[in-house]
Short mmCIF file of all heavy atoms in Angstrom, two decimals:
data_model
loop_
_atom_site.label_atom_id
_atom_site.label_comp_id
_atom_site.label_asym_id
_atom_site.label_seq_id
_atom_site.Cartn_x
_atom_site.Cartn_y
_atom_site.Cartn_z
N PHE A 76 -6.71 7.70 9.37
CA PHE A 76 -6.46 7.97 7.89
C PHE A 76 -5.69 7.06 7.18
O PHE A 76 -5.90 6.61 6.13
CB PHE A 76 -6.05 9.49 7.91
CG PHE A 76 -5.79 9.91 6.37
CD1 PHE A 76 -6.76 10.25 5.65
CD2 PHE A 76 -4.48 10.01 5.96
CE1 PHE A 76 -6.62 10.65 4.14
CE2 PHE A 76 -4.19 10.38 4.65
CZ PHE A 76 -5.26 10.70 3.74
N ALA A 77 -4.44 6.83 7.76
CA ALA A 77 -3.39 6.01 7.13
C ALA A 77 -3.99 4.63 7.02
O ALA A 77 -3.63 3.95 5.86
CB ALA A 77 -2.11 6.10 7.89
N LEU A 78 -4.65 4.03 7.94
CA LEU A 78 -5.23 2.81 7.69
C LEU A 78 -6.23 2.75 6.69
O LEU A 78 -6.37 1.80 5.86
CB LEU A 78 -5.74 2.24 9.10
CG LEU A 78 -4.75 1.79 9.99
CD1 LEU A 78 -5.46 1.52 11.51
CD2 LEU A 78 -3.99 0.45 9.71
N GLY A 79 -7.11 3.70 6.65
CA GLY A 79 -8.08 3.92 5.58
C GLY A 79 -7.42 4.06 4.28
O GLY A 79 -8.04 3.45 3.20
N LEU A 80 -6.42 4.81 4.15
CA LEU A 80 -5.64 4.89 2.87
C LEU A 80 -5.11 3.57 2.42
O LEU A 80 -5.26 3.30 1.34
CB LEU A 80 -4.55 5.92 3.06
CG LEU A 80 -3.68 6.29 1.87
CD1 LEU A 80 -4.49 7.04 0.83
CD2 LEU A 80 -2.46 7.14 2.36
N ASN A 81 -4.48 2.86 3.29
CA ASN A 81 -3.91 1.56 2.98
C ASN A 81 -5.04 0.71 2.44
O ASN A 81 -4.97 0.02 1.43
CB ASN A 81 -3.21 1.00 4.19
CG ASN A 81 -2.63 -0.29 3.85
OD1 ASN A 81 -3.16 -1.39 3.45
ND2 ASN A 81 -1.33 -0.42 3.99
N LEU A 82 -6.15 0.62 3.23
CA LEU A 82 -7.39 -0.28 2.84
C LEU A 82 -7.78 0.12 1.52
O LEU A 82 -8.08 -0.79 0.63
CB LEU A 82 -8.45 -0.10 3.84
CG LEU A 82 -9.73 -0.85 3.54
CD1 LEU A 82 -9.54 -2.37 3.38
CD2 LEU A 82 -10.72 -0.53 4.69
N VAL A 83 -8.06 1.36 1.16
CA VAL A 83 -8.67 1.86 -0.02
C VAL A 83 -7.79 1.56 -1.11
O VAL A 83 -8.11 0.93 -2.24
CB VAL A 83 -9.03 3.27 -0.07
CG1 VAL A 83 -9.30 3.87 -1.41
CG2 VAL A 83 -10.06 3.54 0.91
N ILE A 84 -6.40 1.84 -0.98
CA ILE A 84 -5.42 1.56 -2.10
C ILE A 84 -5.36 0.09 -2.41
O ILE A 84 -5.48 -0.36 -3.58
CB ILE A 84 -4.01 2.09 -1.70
CG1 ILE A 84 -4.04 3.62 -1.67
CG2 ILE A 84 -3.00 1.63 -2.60
CD1 ILE A 84 -2.87 4.18 -0.92
N THR A 85 -5.10 -0.79 -1.47
CA THR A 85 -4.95 -2.25 -1.57
C THR A 85 -6.11 -2.78 -2.00
O THR A 85 -6.16 -3.78 -2.97
CB THR A 85 -4.21 -2.88 -0.33
OG1 THR A 85 -5.07 -2.60 0.75
CG2 THR A 85 -2.91 -2.40 -0.08
N ALA A 86 -7.38 -2.62 -1.57
CA ALA A 86 -8.56 -3.09 -1.96
C ALA A 86 -8.82 -2.74 -3.44
O ALA A 86 -9.31 -3.56 -4.17
CB ALA A 86 -9.82 -2.67 -1.08
N GLY A 87 -8.55 -1.44 -3.80
CA GLY A 87 -8.71 -1.09 -5.18
C GLY A 87 -7.80 -1.93 -6.05
O GLY A 87 -8.23 -2.19 -7.22
N LEU A 88 -6.48 -2.10 -5.63
CA LEU A 88 -5.58 -2.81 -6.55
C LEU A 88 -6.06 -4.18 -6.67
O LEU A 88 -6.10 -4.75 -7.88
CB LEU A 88 -4.29 -2.77 -5.89
CG LEU A 88 -3.51 -1.42 -5.93
CD1 LEU A 88 -2.22 -1.43 -4.96
CD2 LEU A 88 -2.96 -1.17 -7.37
N VAL A 89 -6.53 -4.79 -5.56
CA VAL A 89 -7.04 -6.28 -5.72
C VAL A 89 -8.20 -6.23 -6.64
O VAL A 89 -8.37 -7.21 -7.41
CB VAL A 89 -7.33 -6.77 -4.30
CG1 VAL A 89 -8.13 -8.24 -4.44
CG2 VAL A 89 -6.12 -7.07 -3.62
N SER A 90 -9.19 -5.35 -6.49
CA SER A 90 -10.38 -5.37 -7.25
C SER A 90 -10.05 -5.23 -8.71
O SER A 90 -10.54 -5.93 -9.64
CB SER A 90 -11.29 -4.13 -6.99
OG SER A 90 -11.77 -4.15 -5.67
N GLY A 91 -9.06 -4.34 -9.11
CA GLY A 91 -8.62 -4.15 -10.54
C GLY A 91 -8.05 -5.51 -11.04
O GLY A 91 -8.19 -5.93 -12.09
N ARG A 92 -7.16 -6.01 -10.15
CA ARG A 92 -6.48 -7.37 -10.64
C ARG A 92 -7.62 -8.49 -10.78
O ARG A 92 -7.45 -9.20 -11.67
CB ARG A 92 -5.45 -7.76 -9.60
CG ARG A 92 -4.28 -6.68 -9.61
CD ARG A 92 -3.22 -7.18 -8.62
NE ARG A 92 -2.32 -6.08 -8.37
CZ ARG A 92 -1.39 -5.60 -9.10
NH1 ARG A 92 -1.12 -6.08 -10.28
NH2 ARG A 92 -0.60 -4.70 -8.68
N VAL A 93 -8.56 -8.50 -9.91
CA VAL A 93 -9.52 -9.71 -10.12
C VAL A 93 -10.33 -9.39 -11.32
O VAL A 93 -10.66 -10.25 -11.90
CB VAL A 93 -10.45 -9.64 -8.79
CG1 VAL A 93 -11.59 -10.67 -8.93
CG2 VAL A 93 -9.60 -10.27 -7.50
N ILE A 94 -10.79 -8.23 -11.47
CA ILE A 94 -11.52 -7.80 -12.77
C ILE A 94 -10.61 -8.30 -13.96
O ILE A 94 -11.16 -8.96 -14.81
CB ILE A 94 -11.87 -6.41 -12.92
CG1 ILE A 94 -13.01 -6.07 -11.76
CG2 ILE A 94 -12.39 -5.94 -14.23
CD1 ILE A 94 -13.33 -4.69 -11.52
N SER A 95 -9.37 -7.99 -13.92
CA SER A 95 -8.49 -8.39 -15.01
C SER A 95 -8.41 -9.99 -15.19
O SER A 95 -8.32 -10.55 -16.31
CB SER A 95 -7.11 -7.78 -14.82
OG SER A 95 -6.26 -8.16 -15.94
N LEU A 96 -8.38 -10.61 -14.06
CA LEU A 96 -8.45 -11.98 -14.19
C LEU A 96 -9.64 -12.60 -14.86
O LEU A 96 -9.55 -13.46 -15.72
CB LEU A 96 -8.46 -12.71 -12.68
CG LEU A 96 -7.06 -12.99 -11.99
CD1 LEU A 96 -7.33 -13.23 -10.54
CD2 LEU A 96 -6.37 -13.93 -12.72
N VAL A 97 -10.78 -12.04 -14.59
CA VAL A 97 -12.04 -12.45 -15.20
C VAL A 97 -11.99 -12.03 -16.69
O VAL A 97 -12.40 -12.74 -17.61
CB VAL A 97 -13.20 -11.97 -14.41
CG1 VAL A 97 -14.51 -12.12 -15.23
CG2 VAL A 97 -13.25 -12.38 -13.13
N VAL A 98 -11.59 -10.80 -16.98
CA VAL A 98 -11.73 -10.26 -18.31
C VAL A 98 -10.62 -10.63 -19.29
O VAL A 98 -10.85 -10.89 -20.39
CB VAL A 98 -11.79 -8.69 -18.31
CG1 VAL A 98 -11.88 -8.04 -19.64
CG2 VAL A 98 -13.11 -8.24 -17.51
N ASP A 99 -9.38 -10.52 -18.66
CA ASP A 99 -8.24 -10.78 -19.58
C ASP A 99 -7.54 -12.07 -19.48
O ASP A 99 -6.71 -12.53 -20.21
CB ASP A 99 -7.18 -9.68 -19.10
CG ASP A 99 -7.78 -8.31 -19.21
OD1 ASP A 99 -8.40 -7.98 -20.12
OD2 ASP A 99 -7.41 -7.53 -18.31
N GLY A 100 -7.85 -12.92 -18.43
CA GLY A 100 -7.21 -14.17 -18.13
C GLY A 100 -6.12 -14.13 -17.11
O GLY A 100 -5.95 -13.19 -16.41
N MET A 101 -5.35 -15.21 -17.13
CA MET A 101 -4.31 -15.39 -15.99
C MET A 101 -3.13 -14.52 -16.35
O MET A 101 -2.36 -14.62 -17.33
CB MET A 101 -3.84 -16.84 -15.98
CG MET A 101 -3.05 -17.16 -14.91
SD MET A 101 -3.75 -16.96 -13.18
CE MET A 101 -5.05 -18.16 -13.17
N PRO A 102 -2.72 -13.66 -15.28
CA PRO A 102 -1.43 -12.93 -15.49
C PRO A 102 -0.19 -13.69 -15.11
O PRO A 102 -0.39 -14.91 -14.60
CB PRO A 102 -1.61 -11.71 -14.48
CG PRO A 102 -2.51 -12.34 -13.43
CD PRO A 102 -3.39 -13.29 -14.04
N ASN A 103 0.92 -13.11 -15.07
CA ASN A 103 2.09 -13.82 -14.69
C ASN A 103 2.17 -14.06 -13.15
O ASN A 103 1.35 -13.54 -12.39
CB ASN A 103 3.45 -13.14 -15.25
CG ASN A 103 3.72 -11.78 -14.55
OD1 ASN A 103 3.19 -11.50 -13.48
ND2 ASN A 103 4.65 -11.18 -15.09
N ASP A 104 3.17 -14.80 -12.66
CA ASP A 104 3.29 -15.19 -11.29
C ASP A 104 3.41 -13.90 -10.38
O ASP A 104 2.92 -13.88 -9.31
CB ASP A 104 4.51 -16.04 -10.99
CG ASP A 104 4.20 -17.49 -11.52
OD1 ASP A 104 2.96 -17.77 -11.84
OD2 ASP A 104 5.15 -18.24 -11.62
N MET A 105 4.20 -12.85 -10.82
CA MET A 105 4.44 -11.68 -10.03
C MET A 105 3.06 -10.97 -9.72
O MET A 105 2.77 -10.58 -8.65
CB MET A 105 5.25 -10.73 -10.85
CG MET A 105 5.48 -9.40 -10.04
SD MET A 105 6.34 -9.64 -8.52
CE MET A 105 7.00 -8.07 -8.13
N ALA A 106 2.18 -10.84 -10.75
CA ALA A 106 0.89 -10.28 -10.52
C ALA A 106 0.04 -11.15 -9.63
O ALA A 106 -0.72 -10.56 -8.75
CB ALA A 106 0.17 -10.17 -11.88
N LEU A 107 0.21 -12.49 -9.63
CA LEU A 107 -0.56 -13.30 -8.64
C LEU A 107 -0.11 -13.07 -7.22
O LEU A 107 -0.92 -13.09 -6.30
CB LEU A 107 -0.50 -14.79 -9.04
CG LEU A 107 -1.15 -15.15 -10.41
CD1 LEU A 107 -0.86 -16.62 -10.69
CD2 LEU A 107 -2.56 -14.83 -10.31
N VAL A 108 1.29 -12.84 -7.09
CA VAL A 108 1.78 -12.58 -5.78
C VAL A 108 1.36 -11.27 -5.19
O VAL A 108 0.96 -11.20 -4.04
CB VAL A 108 3.29 -12.57 -5.83
CG1 VAL A 108 3.90 -11.98 -4.52
CG2 VAL A 108 3.88 -14.00 -6.06
N LEU A 109 1.13 -10.27 -6.06
CA LEU A 109 0.68 -9.03 -5.75
C LEU A 109 -0.82 -9.05 -5.25
O LEU A 109 -1.13 -8.48 -4.31
CB LEU A 109 0.88 -7.96 -6.95
CG LEU A 109 2.38 -7.49 -7.17
CD1 LEU A 109 2.33 -6.69 -8.46
CD2 LEU A 109 2.94 -6.80 -5.93
N ILE A 110 -1.53 -9.90 -5.99
CA ILE A 110 -2.94 -10.04 -5.56
C ILE A 110 -3.03 -10.56 -4.08
O ILE A 110 -3.76 -10.05 -3.26
CB ILE A 110 -3.67 -11.07 -6.40
CG1 ILE A 110 -3.94 -10.38 -7.84
CG2 ILE A 110 -5.04 -11.45 -5.81
CD1 ILE A 110 -4.58 -11.40 -8.88
N ALA A 111 -2.13 -11.48 -3.81
CA ALA A 111 -2.21 -12.17 -2.43
C ALA A 111 -1.69 -11.08 -1.40
O ALA A 111 -2.26 -10.88 -0.42
CB ALA A 111 -1.24 -13.41 -2.38
N VAL A 112 -0.54 -10.45 -1.66
CA VAL A 112 0.02 -9.42 -0.68
C VAL A 112 -0.99 -8.21 -0.51
O VAL A 112 -1.25 -7.79 0.62
CB VAL A 112 1.45 -8.98 -1.23
CG1 VAL A 112 1.95 -7.84 -0.40
CG2 VAL A 112 2.43 -10.12 -1.27
N GLU A 113 -1.45 -7.82 -1.55
CA GLU A 113 -2.45 -6.57 -1.56
C GLU A 113 -3.65 -7.09 -0.88
O GLU A 113 -4.29 -6.33 -0.03
CB GLU A 113 -2.71 -6.05 -2.85
CG GLU A 113 -1.42 -5.38 -3.48
CD GLU A 113 -1.49 -5.38 -4.98
OE1 GLU A 113 -2.40 -5.86 -5.64
OE2 GLU A 113 -0.50 -4.64 -5.59
N GLY A 114 -4.10 -8.31 -0.96
CA GLY A 114 -5.31 -8.76 -0.36
C GLY A 114 -5.21 -8.94 1.13
O GLY A 114 -6.04 -8.53 1.88
N VAL A 115 -4.03 -9.50 1.51
CA VAL A 115 -3.81 -9.59 2.91
C VAL A 115 -3.59 -8.30 3.52
O VAL A 115 -4.13 -8.04 4.60
CB VAL A 115 -2.45 -10.55 3.17
CG1 VAL A 115 -2.02 -10.33 4.60
CG2 VAL A 115 -2.75 -11.94 2.71
N SER A 116 -2.93 -7.37 2.95
CA SER A 116 -2.81 -5.93 3.38
C SER A 116 -4.24 -5.33 3.70
O SER A 116 -4.35 -4.75 4.66
CB SER A 116 -2.01 -5.14 2.54
OG SER A 116 -1.77 -3.89 3.03
N ALA A 117 -5.06 -5.43 2.66
CA ALA A 117 -6.38 -4.93 2.81
C ALA A 117 -7.14 -5.44 4.02
O ALA A 117 -7.79 -4.66 4.75
CB ALA A 117 -7.12 -5.06 1.56
N VAL A 118 -7.09 -6.76 4.23
CA VAL A 118 -7.84 -7.45 5.22
C VAL A 118 -7.22 -7.00 6.59
O VAL A 118 -8.01 -6.63 7.50
CB VAL A 118 -7.78 -8.95 5.17
CG1 VAL A 118 -8.16 -9.64 6.38
CG2 VAL A 118 -8.55 -9.46 3.95
#
Side-chain angles (χ1 to χ4, degrees):
F76 176 77
L78 287 169
L80 181 67
N81 186 298
L82 175 60
V83 169
I84 292 166
T85 55
L88 288 166
V89 169
S90 298
R92 292 184 197 284
V93 169
I94 289 168
S95 179
L96 274 170
V97 172
V98 174
D99 305 318
M101 188 63 67
N103 70 11
D104 289 345
M105 179 63 165
L107 294 175
V108 168
L109 290 173
I110 291 172
V112 170
E113 293 157 356
V115 168
S116 183
V118 169

